[in-house]
Amino acid sequence: MKKLKFAVAGLGRIGKIHLGNLCQMEGIEVVAAMDPMEEGRQFAKYKNVPHVVTSFAEMLTVTPIDAIIICSPTDTHADYVEMAAKAGIHVFCEKPLDLSLDRVVEVLDTVSKSGIKLMLGFNRRFDKEFRKVKELVKNGAVGEPHLVKITSRDPGAPPVSYIKTSGGLFLDMTIHDFDVARFIVDKEVEEVYAKGAVLVDPAIGEVGDIDTAVVTLIYTDGTMAVIDNSREASYGYDQRVEVFGSKGMVQSNNNFMDSHKLYNEQGIHAALPLHFFLERYREAYMNEIGDFAKSLENGNATPVDGNDGLQSLRIGLAAMKSLKENRPVKISEIVPLP
Amino acid sequence: MKKLKFAVAGLGRIGKIHLGNLCQMEGIEVVAAMDPMEEGRQFAKYKNVPHVVTSFAEMLTVTPIDAIIICSPTDTHADYVEMAAKAGIHVFCEKPLDLSLDRVVEVLDTVSKSGIKLMLGFNRRFDKEFRKVKELVKNGAVGEPHLVKITSRDPGAPPVSYIKTSGGLFLDMTIHDFDVARFIVDKEVEEVYAKGAVLVDPAIGEVGDIDTAVVTLIYTDGTMAVIDNSREASYGYDQRVEVFGSKGMVQSNNNFMDSHKLYNEQGIHAALPLHFFLERYREAYMNEIGDFAKSLENGNATPVDGNDGLQSLRIGLAAMKSLKENRPVKISEIVPLP
Amino acid sequence: MKKLKFAVAGLGRIGKIHLGNLCQMEGIEVVAAMDPMEEGRQFAKYKNVPHVVTSFAEMLTVTPIDAIIICSPTDTHADYVEMAAKAGIHVFCEKPLDLSLDRVVEVLDTVSKSGIKLMLGFNRRFDKEFRKVKELVKNGAVGEPHLVKITSRDPGAPPVSYIKTSGGLFLDMTIHDFDVARFIVDKEVEEVYAKGAVLVDPAIGEVGDIDTAVVTLIYTDGTMAVIDNSREASYGYDQRVEVFGSKGMVQSNNNFMDSHKLYNEQGIHAALPLHFFLERYREAYMNEIGDFAKSLENGNATPVDGNDGLQSLRIGLAAMKSLKENRPVKISEIVPLP
Amino acid sequence: MKKLKFAVAGLGRIGKIHLGNLCQMEGIEVVAAMDPMEEGRQFAKYKNVPHVVTSFAEMLTVTPIDAIIICSPTDTHADYVEMAAKAGIHVFCEKPLDLSLDRVVEVLDTVSKSGIKLMLGFNRRFDKEFRKVKELVKNGAVGEPHLVKITSRDPGAPPVSYIKTSGGLFLDMTIHDFDVARFIVDKEVEEVYAKGAVLVDPAIGEVGDIDTAVVTLIYTDGTMAVIDNSREASYGYDQRVEVFGSKGMVQSNNNFMDSHKLYNEQGIHAALPLHFFLERYREAYMNEIGDFAKSLENGNATPVDGNDGLQSLRIGLAAMKSLKENRPVKISEIVPLP
């Protein structure tokens, strides 16, 4: 069987995970990797990647490539995707494509014309918990969904320097929840109302962002969703979803370090949730790359596409506008339309 | 020891519960009861209440009374409280005092001048689950509260005829949650944003009400709360609260019919929550009357007072305005101020 | 409707509970009570019992009585039951009837000839948790039962003075578990193997008893059961049961003080089980007296009878023999046969 | 860094897992593999193992090897371990070394004289759940252990043909639990009482084995343990442990397919445990090989040794004797002593 030839662009934390996963998968060979930093390139060499280079452009030329995994900084995504599209190479790109809606529309247009497949890295869609909830909702186990509740809290805030360029809470962190909200019930969002506050760290407020938020979403059919976020949950990574409908309710819980229960005079004690996304979504990262590879092999659509990235970005921009103006904002107010 | 002389006005479902509980309590004797309906009076006679009459005015004259429990229809509350206040008799009144803010302000003024004690029947404050959450929050177990989440869903909608006169979802059902929101963190609400929909029964929409809601509350210090409501949860009465703060999170769960877990080929199965408020809050009803009696005995303030009823009514009216105008509404917009 | 006339013999801890419950039940009046101690009699007078006396014999003469609840010390049970039987008065008697198998056989013979109803106070049969497990087993939810597991641990050992006269761990504490073992699967026990140790308090060993035990039971059809006991569980009263069968497994859990979960940096924390039998079996005590009264009203057999007491005693005696001789003991070795 | 050279003997189900895990581990290279069957050898070739042969003896000669993983049928273990020992190659061997106590003593003697490291594949010691329980017990979290409870049930019985040669339930299946019992509290067992029954499949009884068992263990210091086994749990693989002690209790639970809870009119529904050992102990298999490799690198003792296998075998033989003779059996009755 011919193996798919993969390349990885960007070998930071998430790039290393994808590279490690690719190396374990059958039917795939990693033929190239790029990173401007020596440390990242060392990692690729250790993994026996034959072509390890310092620039994206160089990588496109050294060897034939079927697909590229883009894990470089956000501000390179749009350019790299366009370069790959022009070279006819399929792309898996970490979200977001870009923080500018205009630029995203432009890139998707290029992608569309090129005929390549583009998949966005919304990893939570490949987590067994979220998948199970979606499957049950889809099968009618809760009847007509009335209300979606998403809790999404990080164990600690990233450095303020990162927050400054990340697009802020809604585009950097909540964007995953916007995607989950769309994914779980397969509906589009029409209106957003966002409230936020700086309750964790004043320094986050000083750079114009918030660290705590409650966002109400109204889908086009009137179904409602509520997302709550915090940059700092003292007890670890908190990722839960609940869908309430006409015939029932389904909840998914966190994944825990272990299942022990200790009973003593003080009470009953149990282990905390898995610490952060690398632990909680370890299998999800493996699954998403596997599903991307499968869609290349069988020619089907990727399970997440450019439009998914676009829609979540539009919800995020609407949330930012809502927060600023303290009023509900229609998604249709966010122009240009795609 | 001299026993406190209690009377009960209104012997419908909740009046019977209070009368039954009073009969079991030490230091209390029920000396009178009133109900315009024969069936209610029969119940009181069965319970050996010595004076059973048909009108509130008559009840005030037949025998000396220390305190009256008012469980008659909402539109009689204000008048009865005023009559009791003028007679110098302490009052425990089921919520709400009245659906009109003006009338409530008027009644509270009368009460204040009379010097009687007035307690409102916000029974959830006396539930062991909500109490435990409040106690932990108060003791700093979660640090500074950042976010309060209240889930409150009924097992089935009341008759549309009831909904028409009840004041609607926010004044009839959510008002308990507004009170819980104030109770749990001991803070006042400043702004409300309410979204609602008719997803359970179109007939509810036809009388101008909603059956599903998401309400975001902002407290005066920026803390946020989210309440979600449904008139119909197929799996029973759903009453949960979660408080997330700087040092931790505390959740309370439903109370269940039993604790069994059945494992078989299809999965693991467990019992549903206690069906509705009579089952879930059975002990809470006992506790609240007990605490009311204690405050009469020791001369302390009642654990819930007229202002608590007033504030929840104001939040409810703000929610109605917010829903109608689809914008966040400040509590201060709701006039007259108390 | 004519009310059933009840009397209560012995007003210690459990007698007071039964008396209090009887006072709340419809269709029942408590006409007499006896206790040799002034403190017990005071309690009965406070509860408005009309005839309060110091001896059992006196109680039988002062007023007509339909049924007596016997809560006096164990060594009076047999005599009182016989006296009541001869007087044609139905009896509810706290377990055990007697520690001597011969004496129990004799008493049951007297009861049988008298035609009175006799119910033994195996309160756990009326607990909603054990009932649910039994109901599911009976309905075939687990298929053919293969294995029953009973965990039964007290929060603290009784005084050594009590242990000396109680019959020891197996006759005083485990006897409840032997009854549950028979109740849950409706089968008789054929063989017992008991291991015990003194791990909690050497003083218990000094009076010839044990404080920790594991007992294996074999039913007549080969089904197995395991009971584990401790006199001292630091975390409170631990009462769980599990039935494993050909089609599934059912478990019941403890009942907890409340349902809260507190998440913080150290882990997740929850409340302990209800402290001891008075808290855990509060409703069960109410239910058992109610069911006893119902069997008197409708003439049906009582839900627990003298033979139930006899069989559990036989298992207990077999366990004692097994422990002493360190070998499995057949129930048939325990003579006389009934 | 020099890589450790590993070989794998036997490429059935468990051999493939070990080989796959070895291929992912840093610092290790798999230099040889053997299997008499073509299918197993194909797998090794697919994994790029350079030397793939058909006999153990051949494997020892084709290339230098540091350590061998023995996953061949049980009746080859003893011979292969001795051959490796004589060749000075370290061994990781799946349990049991042999079903004959004499033979095991002989092999361990050979191993001891050779100076090689020998580790037995008691995989559960490397499961995060069992490890956590052991850690808490070791740290004194439950005080002095009084009682250990182990539940161990398989989702389905193996073919009767396998059972005939496996040594039976106690040597094939319960032997893992005997090892866990020793591991969890770090104590030796002194006496065993075993009861068993054929409740799952009469064909199992026809070949002289049982399919359901309850085994009571007494440790040398009087601490007790109870193990319950079934060859067929309809709901999947059931692997739980509970340790009760003077200061508390710790439990570990199964691992589940996902955490969802579905609430509907019928009740609350959740996912089943992970199906069988391959799913439940996936990480444990990785951990055990990793720890074996670590002990080779740093020269420390292996975390499980030949004596661990020997002791569990002795307990298993005592259990067989106890079952046959229906009496408690001392471990010291099982000769020869090691």
Side-chain angles (χ1 to χ4, degrees):
Chain A
M1 193 184 68
K2 202 175 137 283
K3 291 190 173 179
L4 285 166
K5 294 176 196 306
F6 270 67
V8 178
L11 291 160
R13 189 163 55 175
I14 193 70
K16 282 172 187 156
I17 286 171
H18 286 315
L19 177 51
N21 287 340
L22 287 165
C23 290
Q24 289 179 37
M25 297 173 70
E26 302 192 357
I28 285 176
E29 58 178 323
V30 182
V31 295
M34 68 75 54
D35 197 285
M37 309 288 283
E38 175 63 20
E39 188 268 345
R41 292 195 302 270
Q42 282 298 340
F43 181 85
K45 282 171 192 163
Y46 183 85
K47 288 287 182 182
N48 299 320
V49 177
H51 300 280
V52 181
V53 299
T54 56
S55 86
F56 194 83
E58 185 184 356
M59 188 169 71
L60 294 184
T61 62
V62 290
T63 182
I65 295 171
D66 293 311
I68 302 181
I69 311 294
I70 298 178
C71 316
S72 49
T74 294
D75 59 7
T76 65
H77 290 182
D79 291 349
Y80 287 178
V81 172
E82 284 187 329
M83 289 165 76
K86 280 164 191 165
I89 300 172
H90 302 300
V91 172
F92 173 101
C93 183
E94 282 301 318
K95 61 92 207 165
L97 268 179
D98 200 89
L99 297 176
S100 150
L101 189 57
D102 290 278
R103 185 72 177 108
V104 169
V105 169
E106 197 173 65
V107 171
L108 292 188
D109 189 53
T110 304
V111 166
S112 172
K113 283 171 184 154
S114 76
I116 66 155
K117 288 181 194 293
L118 170 65
M119 175 161 159
L120 268 286
F122 284 119
N123 57 296
R124 294 186 199 171
R125 294 187 178 216
F126 304 88
D127 173 60
K128 69 180 187 304
E129 306 296 345
F130 292 99
R131 276 187 167 178
K132 183 69 186 180
V133 170
K134 185 196 170 77
E135 175 200 320
L136 285 166
V137 170
K138 198 173 178 182
N139 293 349
V142 301
E144 280 301 308
H146 291 175
L147 181 63
V148 176
K149 291 173 72 177
I150 298 170
T151 293
S152 177
R153 301 168 189 156
D154 282 358
V160 169
S161 59
Y162 172 84
I163 287 176
K164 264 197 278 193
T165 64
S166 72
L169 186 91
F170 292 140
L171 295 192
D172 156 34
M173 178 174 162
T174 323
I175 201 162
H176 276 291
D177 306 308
F178 296 142
D179 184 62
V180 168
R182 292 178 66 246
F183 169 69
I184 289 282
V185 293
D186 250 327
K187 295 178 179 178
E188 292 297 339
V189 170
E190 184 172 285
E191 190 185 286
V192 179
Y193 179 70
K195 287 300 281 194
V198 181
L199 301 172
V200 171
D201 183 356
I204 293 173
E206 282 159 21
V207 298
D209 200 8
I210 53 173
D211 51 39
T212 308
V214 173
V215 184
T216 306
L217 306 176
I218 310 297
Y219 296 88
T220 50
D221 70 349
T223 301
M224 291 179 279
V226 182
I227 297 164
D228 74 83
N229 293 136
S230 172
R231 285 286 195 186
E232 189 176 291
S234 58
Y235 52 89
Y237 198 40
D238 195 348
Q239 300 274 298
R240 288 172 286 151
V241 69
E242 174 176 322
V243 181
F244 171 80
S246 57
K247 292 187 182 165
M249 168 178 70
V250 60
Q251 303 171 314
S252 71
N253 202 347
N254 290 306
N255 289 181
F256 296 90
M257 292 184 187
D258 60 64
S259 73
H260 91 270
K261 283 195 184 182
L262 175 65
Y263 288 59
N264 61 24
E265 280 187 20
Q266 277 72 50
I268 303 174
H269 315 275
L272 287 175
L274 293 178
H275 183 62
F276 206 1
F277 66 98
L278 295 180
E279 293 87 4
R280 162 68 187 262
Y281 294 122
R282 194 168 53 87
E283 283 187 22
Y285 284 118
M286 181 71 95
N287 293 340
E288 72 174 355
I289 291 293
D291 283 8
F292 175 59
K294 260 181 239 159
S295 72
L296 300 188
E297 281 164 19
N298 61 25
N300 290 342
T302 54
V304 196
D305 64 15
N307 182 54
D308 291 317
L310 180 68
Q311 294 307 332
S312 292
L313 178 61
R314 290 169 65 78
I315 301 172
L317 293 169
M320 289 174 77
K321 192 176 181 69
S322 173
L323 177 68
K324 195 173 163 194
E325 303 178 6
N326 194 25
R327 66 172 181 91
V329 169
K330 297 271 183 198
I331 302 301
S332 58
E333 295 182 43
I334 306 304
V335 289
L337 302 181
Chain B
M1 192 184 72
K2 204 173 135 285
K3 291 189 172 179
L4 285 167
K5 294 175 197 303
F6 270 69
V8 178
L11 292 161
R13 189 164 54 175
I14 193 69
K16 283 172 185 154
I17 285 171
H18 286 315
L19 176 51
N21 287 340
L22 287 166
C23 291
Q24 288 180 39
M25 297 173 70
E26 304 191 357
I28 286 176
E29 59 178 323
V30 182
V31 296
M34 69 76 56
D35 198 285
M37 309 289 282
E38 175 63 19
E39 189 268 344
R41 292 195 303 269
Q42 282 297 341
F43 181 84
K45 284 171 190 162
Y46 183 84
K47 287 287 183 182
N48 299 319
V49 177
H51 301 280
V52 182
V53 300
T54 56
S55 86
F56 193 83
E58 185 185 356
M59 190 169 69
L60 294 184
T61 62
V62 291
T63 183
I65 295 169
D66 293 313
I68 302 182
I69 310 295
I70 298 178
C71 314
S72 49
T74 294
D75 58 8
T76 65
H77 289 182
D79 292 349
Y80 288 178
V81 172
E82 285 187 329
M83 289 164 76
K86 281 166 190 165
I89 300 172
H90 301 300
V91 173
F92 174 101
C93 184
E94 282 302 318
K95 61 94 211 164
L97 268 180
D98 199 88
L99 298 176
S100 149
L101 189 58
D102 290 280
R103 185 72 178 109
V104 169
V105 169
E106 197 173 62
V107 171
L108 292 188
D109 189 51
T110 302
V111 165
S112 172
K113 284 170 182 156
S114 76
I116 65 155
K117 285 180 194 296
L118 170 65
M119 176 162 158
L120 268 286
F122 284 118
N123 57 294
R124 293 185 200 170
R125 292 188 178 215
F126 303 89
D127 173 61
K128 68 181 187 303
E129 306 296 346
F130 292 99
R131 275 186 169 178
K132 184 67 185 182
V133 171
K134 185 195 169 76
E135 175 199 322
L136 286 165
V137 170
K138 198 174 177 181
N139 294 348
V142 300
E144 279 301 307
H146 291 175
L147 181 63
V148 176
K149 292 175 71 178
I150 298 171
T151 293
S152 177
R153 301 167 190 158
D154 283 356
V160 169
S161 60
Y162 171 85
I163 287 177
K164 263 198 279 194
T165 64
S166 72
L169 186 90
F170 291 140
L171 296 193
D172 157 33
M173 179 174 161
T174 324
I175 200 164
H176 276 291
D177 307 309
F178 295 143
D179 184 62
V180 168
R182 293 178 64 246
F183 170 70
I184 289 283
V185 292
D186 251 328
K187 294 178 180 179
E188 293 297 339
V189 170
E190 182 172 287
E191 190 185 285
V192 179
Y193 179 71
K195 286 301 282 194
V198 180
L199 301 172
V200 171
D201 184 357
I204 292 172
E206 283 159 20
V207 299
D209 201 8
I210 52 173
D211 51 37
T212 308
V214 173
V215 184
T216 306
L217 307 175
I218 309 298
Y219 296 88
T220 49
D221 69 348
T223 301
M224 291 180 278
V226 182
I227 298 165
D228 74 85
N229 292 134
S230 172
R231 286 284 196 186
E232 187 175 291
S234 59
Y235 53 87
Y237 198 41
D238 196 348
Q239 301 273 295
R240 288 172 285 151
V241 68
E242 175 176 321
V243 181
F244 171 79
S246 56
K247 290 187 184 165
M249 168 178 69
V250 60
Q251 303 173 314
S252 72
N253 202 346
N254 290 304
N255 289 180
F256 296 90
M257 292 185 186
D258 59 63
S259 73
H260 91 269
K261 285 197 182 179
L262 175 66
Y263 287 62
N264 61 23
E265 279 187 20
Q266 278 72 48
I268 304 175
H269 315 276
L272 287 174
L274 292 177
H275 183 63
F276 206 1
F277 66 98
L278 295 181
E279 293 86 4
R280 164 67 190 263
Y281 294 122
R282 194 168 54 85
E283 283 187 21
Y285 284 119
M286 182 70 93
N287 293 340
E288 71 174 353
I289 291 293
D291 282 8
F292 175 58
K294 257 180 242 158
S295 71
L296 299 188
E297 281 164 20
N298 59 26
N300 290 343
T302 55
V304 196
D305 64 15
N307 182 54
D308 290 317
L310 180 70
Q311 294 306 333
S312 292
L313 178 61
R314 290 168 66 81
I315 301 172
L317 293 169
M320 290 174 76
K321 193 177 181 70
S322 173
L323 178 67
K324 195 172 162 196
E325 302 178 6
N326 196 25
R327 65 171 182 89
V329 169
K330 296 273 183 196
I331 301 301
S332 58
E333 294 184 43
I334 306 302
V335 289
L337 303 180
Chain C
M1 193 183 69
K2 200 171 140 286
K3 291 188 173 178
L4 286 167
K5 292 176 199 306
F6 270 69
V8 178
L11 291 160
R13 192 164 52 174
I14 194 69
K16 283 172 187 154
I17 286 171
H18 286 316
L19 177 52
N21 286 341
L22 287 166
C23 291
Q24 287 180 40
M25 296 173 71
E26 304 192 358
I28 284 176
E29 57 178 326
V30 182
V31 296
M34 69 75 56
D35 198 286
M37 308 289 282
E38 174 63 20
E39 188 268 344
R41 293 195 302 272
Q42 283 296 342
F43 182 83
K45 283 171 192 164
Y46 183 85
K47 285 289 182 181
N48 299 319
V49 177
H51 301 280
V52 181
V53 299
T54 55
S55 85
F56 194 81
E58 184 184 357
M59 190 169 68
L60 295 183
T61 62
V62 292
T63 183
I65 295 169
D66 293 312
I68 302 183
I69 310 295
I70 298 178
C71 316
S72 47
T74 293
D75 58 8
T76 66
H77 289 183
D79 292 348
Y80 288 178
V81 172
E82 285 187 328
M83 289 164 77
K86 282 164 189 168
I89 300 173
H90 302 301
V91 172
F92 174 102
C93 183
E94 282 301 319
K95 61 92 208 160
L97 268 180
D98 199 89
L99 297 178
S100 149
L101 189 57
D102 291 277
R103 185 71 179 112
V104 169
V105 169
E106 196 173 62
V107 172
L108 292 188
D109 189 51
T110 303
V111 165
S112 173
K113 285 171 182 155
S114 75
I116 65 154
K117 287 181 194 295
L118 170 66
M119 174 162 161
L120 268 286
F122 283 120
N123 56 294
R124 293 185 199 170
R125 292 188 178 216
F126 303 89
D127 173 61
K128 68 180 190 304
E129 306 297 344
F130 292 99
R131 277 185 166 179
K132 183 69 187 181
V133 171
K134 186 195 168 76
E135 175 200 321
L136 286 165
V137 170
K138 198 174 177 181
N139 294 348
V142 302
E144 280 301 309
H146 291 176
L147 181 62
V148 176
K149 292 173 71 179
I150 297 171
T151 293
S152 177
R153 302 169 189 156
D154 283 356
V160 169
S161 59
Y162 172 85
I163 286 176
K164 265 197 277 192
T165 65
S166 74
L169 186 91
F170 291 141
L171 296 193
D172 156 33
M173 179 173 161
T174 324
I175 201 164
H176 277 290
D177 307 309
F178 295 143
D179 184 63
V180 168
R182 292 177 65 246
F183 170 70
I184 289 285
V185 293
D186 250 328
K187 294 178 180 177
E188 293 297 340
V189 170
E190 184 172 286
E191 189 186 286
V192 178
Y193 179 71
K195 287 300 280 193
V198 180
L199 302 172
V200 171
D201 183 357
I204 293 173
E206 284 159 20
V207 297
D209 201 9
I210 52 172
D211 51 38
T212 308
V214 172
V215 185
T216 305
L217 307 176
I218 309 298
Y219 296 89
T220 49
D221 69 347
T223 301
M224 291 179 278
V226 182
I227 298 166
D228 73 84
N229 293 134
S230 173
R231 286 281 195 188
E232 187 174 293
S234 59
Y235 51 88
Y237 199 40
D238 195 348
Q239 300 274 296
R240 289 172 285 149
V241 68
E242 175 175 321
V243 182
F244 172 78
S246 57
K247 291 187 182 165
M249 168 179 68
V250 59
Q251 303 171 314
S252 72
N253 202 346
N254 290 305
N255 290 182
F256 296 90
M257 292 186 185
D258 58 65
S259 73
H260 91 269
K261 284 196 183 178
L262 174 66
Y263 289 60
N264 61 25
E265 279 186 21
Q266 277 73 48
I268 303 174
H269 315 277
L272 287 175
L274 291 178
H275 182 63
F276 206 1
F277 65 97
L278 296 180
E279 294 84 5
R280 163 65 189 265
Y281 294 123
R282 195 168 54 86
E283 283 186 23
Y285 284 118
M286 181 71 94
N287 293 339
E288 71 174 353
I289 291 293
D291 282 9
F292 174 58
K294 258 182 241 157
S295 71
L296 300 188
E297 281 164 18
N298 59 27
N300 291 341
T302 54
V304 195
D305 63 17
N307 182 55
D308 290 317
L310 180 69
Q311 295 306 333
S312 292
L313 178 61
R314 290 169 64 79
I315 302 172
L317 293 169
M320 288 173 75
K321 194 176 180 68
S322 173
L323 177 67
K324 196 173 161 195
E325 303 178 5
N326 196 25
R327 65 171 181 91
V329 169
K330 296 271 182 199
I331 301 300
S332 58
E333 295 182 43
I334 306 303
V335 289
L337 302 181
Chain D
M1 194 183 68
K2 200 173 140 284
K3 291 189 174 181
L4 285 166
K5 294 178 198 302
F6 270 68
V8 179
L11 292 160
R13 190 164 53 174
I14 194 69
K16 283 172 185 154
I17 285 171
H18 287 315
L19 176 52
N21 287 340
L22 287 166
C23 290
Q24 287 178 41
M25 296 173 71
E26 304 192 357
I28 285 175
E29 58 178 326
V30 182
V31 295
M34 69 74 53
D35 197 285
M37 309 288 283
E38 175 64 19
E39 189 268 345
R41 293 194 302 272
Q42 283 296 341
F43 181 85
K45 284 172 190 161
Y46 184 85
K47 287 288 183 182
N48 299 318
V49 177
H51 300 281
V52 182
V53 300
T54 56
S55 85
F56 194 82
E58 184 184 358
M59 191 169 70
L60 294 184
T61 62
V62 292
T63 181
I65 295 171
D66 294 311
I68 302 182
I69 310 294
I70 299 179
C71 316
S72 48
T74 293
D75 58 8
T76 65
H77 289 182
D79 291 348
Y80 288 179
V81 172
E82 285 187 329
M83 290 165 77
K86 282 163 191 166
I89 300 173
H90 301 300
V91 173
F92 173 102
C93 184
E94 282 302 318
K95 61 92 212 166
L97 267 180
D98 199 87
L99 298 177
S100 149
L101 189 58
D102 291 278
R103 184 74 177 107
V104 169
V105 170
E106 195 173 67
V107 171
L108 293 188
D109 189 53
T110 303
V111 165
S112 173
K113 285 170 183 155
S114 76
I116 67 156
K117 287 181 194 292
L118 170 65
M119 175 162 159
L120 269 287
F122 284 118
N123 56 294
R124 294 186 199 169
R125 294 188 177 215
F126 304 89
D127 173 59
K128 69 181 187 303
E129 305 296 345
F130 293 98
R131 276 186 168 178
K132 183 69 187 181
V133 170
K134 187 196 168 76
E135 174 200 322
L136 286 166
V137 170
K138 198 174 179 182
N139 293 348
V142 302
E144 278 303 306
H146 292 177
L147 181 62
V148 176
K149 292 173 72 178
I150 298 172
T151 292
S152 176
R153 302 168 188 156
D154 281 358
V160 169
S161 59
Y162 171 84
I163 286 176
K164 264 197 279 194
T165 63
S166 73
L169 186 90
F170 292 141
L171 294 193
D172 158 32
M173 180 173 161
T174 324
I175 201 164
H176 277 290
D177 306 309
F178 296 142
D179 184 61
V180 168
R182 292 177 65 247
F183 170 69
I184 289 285
V185 292
D186 250 327
K187 294 178 181 179
E188 292 298 339
V189 170
E190 182 172 287
E191 188 186 286
V192 178
Y193 179 71
K195 287 301 279 193
V198 181
L199 301 172
V200 171
D201 184 356
I204 292 172
E206 284 159 19
V207 298
D209 200 8
I210 52 172
D211 51 38
T212 308
V214 172
V215 184
T216 306
L217 307 176
I218 310 295
Y219 296 88
T220 49
D221 68 348
T223 301
M224 292 179 276
V226 182
I227 297 166
D228 74 85
N229 291 138
S230 172
R231 283 284 195 188
E232 187 175 292
S234 58
Y235 52 87
Y237 198 40
D238 195 350
Q239 300 274 297
R240 288 170 286 152
V241 69
E242 175 177 321
V243 181
F244 171 78
S246 57
K247 290 189 184 164
M249 169 179 69
V250 60
Q251 303 171 315
S252 72
N253 202 347
N254 290 304
N255 290 181
F256 296 90
M257 291 183 186
D258 59 63
S259 73
H260 91 270
K261 284 197 183 180
L262 175 65
Y263 288 60
N264 61 23
E265 280 186 19
Q266 278 72 49
I268 304 175
H269 315 278
L272 286 175
L274 292 178
H275 182 62
F276 207 1
F277 66 97
L278 296 179
E279 293 86 3
R280 163 67 189 262
Y281 295 121
R282 194 169 52 87
E283 283 186 22
Y285 284 118
M286 181 71 94
N287 293 339
E288 71 175 355
I289 291 294
D291 283 8
F292 175 59
K294 256 180 244 159
S295 71
L296 300 188
E297 281 164 20
N298 59 27
N300 291 341
T302 54
V304 196
D305 63 16
N307 182 54
D308 291 315
L310 179 69
Q311 295 307 333
S312 293
L313 178 61
R314 291 169 63 81
I315 301 173
L317 293 169
M320 289 174 77
K321 192 177 183 66
S322 173
L323 177 68
K324 197 172 162 198
E325 304 177 6
N326 195 26
R327 65 170 181 90
V329 169
K330 297 272 181 198
I331 301 301
S332 57
E333 296 183 42
I334 306 302
V335 291
L337 302 181

